[in-house]
Amino acid sequence: MKARIHVTLKDGVLDPQGRAIHHALEGLGFGGVEDVRAGRLIELTLADGTSDDDIDAMCRKLLANMVIENYRVELV
Amino acid sequence: MKSAVITFPGSNCDRDLAVAIERVTGHAPIRLWHGEQTLPEGLDLIGVPGGFSYGDYLRSGAMAARSPVVGAVVEAAARGVAVLGICNGFQILTEAGLLPGALMRNAGIRFVCRTVALKVENTASRFTKLYQPGETIHIPVAHHDGNYFADDATLDRIEGDGQVAFRYADGINGSARDIAGVLNAKGNVLGMMPHPERMVEPLQGGTDGARLFEALAQSVLERA
């Protein structure tokens, strides 16, 4: 069982890396990019039966910083 | 003054901090490794130094904040022991939940490494009481992730409660309201991005950092 944890900055939190990537895309001549937000993907390989609550606790306690980030769990 | 300085894998200002504390206060700190489960008895000050603990993996300070010794630091802080986090130490203390907010990548993306002017905002705490209200001091910074963030309600609250210890005189990294150093609500935990341990003797270009350590030593004597 695998869980993909998508960690992204909360709305309203400025993303300097996203802005730099945006700038670089424009520098390469790509038009039409309106905004870029950079995030992080963490893939967990879990024992079968690991509870959603446990995965949630992992995210809240370590994988995401809830002051600035949100997370989304995708089971695959 | 009985103090301890913690070393994590990747700390690189731990020795500087220990030397500065000894030079200024006359008492050499105990050096602690990150795996310690308990702290020595009777500490007056715990120093959490700058550097790149655990290679800044995941987020700056994130791994160190979950190390065994930081659990003991959180307990000591609750008992009122002074805790000083500098640079990566500040990042660790926010990640550990001892201080509000978070430190993000500098707004300009670049690593900033130079001496900056700071406005001292709080001159009542045991760390800052030897500075004059409104005084400008000069202390070096060296960081990539010093862009202080907290939501507006939190910023209003910490400003209102006098928890902002230092502000950059000129914005250098995008920090919300130019915040450079923050105290906890009780005033016994200070996190700051600038490095006071790098300004304790004239050979370093100034001594503005020394008064922070002097203030801590004085507070210990007053409590005794």
Side-chain angles (χ1 to χ4, degrees):
Chain A
M1 161 183 186
K2 277 186 198 271
R4 288 202 187 113
I5 317 295
H6 301 264
V7 181
T8 51
L9 286 172
K10 287 182 176 172
D11 290 344
V13 176
L14 282 177
D15 179 5
Q17 292 178 94
R19 210 166 49 186
I21 295 165
H22 191 176
H23 190 69
L25 286 172
E26 286 175 342
L28 290 170
F30 292 103
V33 180
E34 292 182 357
D35 192 25
V36 179
R37 307 282 282 171
R40 179 184 288 117
L41 171 65
I42 300 165
E43 196 170 87
L44 306 175
T45 303
L46 299 163
D48 287 341
T50 305
S51 73
D52 290 353
D53 284 352
D54 277 348
I55 298 171
D56 220 42
M58 293 177 204
C59 293
R60 289 177 174 278
K61 282 193 173 168
L62 178 63
L63 303 181
N65 179 337
M66 300 308 293
V67 175
I68 47 173
E69 295 170 330
N70 288 322
Y71 64 89
R72 182 168 59 82
V73 178
E74 179 195 1
L75 295 175
V76 288
Chain B
M1 183 173 78
K2 188 169 177 183
S3 66
V5 170
I6 300 172
T7 300
F8 300 93
S11 295
N12 63 13
C13 302
D14 44 336
R15 185 179 178 280
D16 289 24
L17 180 56
V19 169
I21 291 172
E22 182 172 3
R23 288 279 165 87
V24 176
T25 70
H27 301 284
I30 299 161
R31 306 292 298 274
L32 293 177
W33 186 233
H34 68 114
E36 301 286 342
Q37 305 272 356
T38 55
L39 299 172
E41 291 286 311
L43 286 179
D44 302 304
L45 169 68
I46 301 165
V48 187
F52 299 86
S53 57
Y54 301 87
D56 280 350
Y57 290 171
L58 192 62
R59 299 175 301 273
S60 300
M63 314 304 284
R66 279 82 185 172
S67 65
V69 75
V70 171
V73 172
V74 171
E75 287 171 19
R79 291 195 308 271
V81 176
V83 180
L84 171 63
I86 298 167
C87 200
N88 187 221
F90 185 12
Q91 295 159 346
I92 292 167
L93 297 184
T94 57
E95 280 281 346
L98 281 176
L99 291 170
L103 292 144
M104 303 183 52
R105 181 54 41 100
N106 291 345
I109 304 291
R110 291 200 171 87
F111 194 96
V112 179
C113 183
R114 59 188 162 88
T115 297
V116 299
L118 296 176
K119 278 170 62 186
V120 185
E121 294 284 335
N122 174 320
T123 53
S125 79
R126 65 175 96 172
F127 302 91
T128 56
K129 63 181 184 175
L130 293 182
Y131 297 112
Q132 301 302 314
E135 185 179 355
T136 298
I137 60 174
H138 295 86
I139 306 273
V141 297
H143 61 248
H144 210 168
D145 296 322
N147 181 353
Y148 185 75
F149 176 88
D151 59 45
D152 283 332
T154 303
L155 292 169
D156 290 343
R157 178 171 53 78
I158 64 175
E159 284 188 333
D161 292 347
Q163 286 177 244
V164 175
F166 303 104
R167 276 186 226 269
Y168 302 107
D170 305 295
I172 59 161
N173 56 19
S175 283
R177 303 186 192 180
D178 291 329
I179 290 171
V182 173
L183 291 152
N184 67 341
K186 271 169 44 181
N188 66 309
V189 179
L190 171 66
M192 60 192 293
M193 291 311 298
H195 287 270
E197 80 279 15
R198 297 188 189 177
M199 270 301 184
V200 297
E201 48 188 293
L203 200 60
Q204 293 174 305
T207 58
D208 280 347
R211 273 180 287 164
L212 190 147
F213 301 106
E214 281 168 29
L216 283 164
Q218 220 179 72
S219 300
V220 170
L221 290 175
E222 283 164 9
R223 274 152 210 271

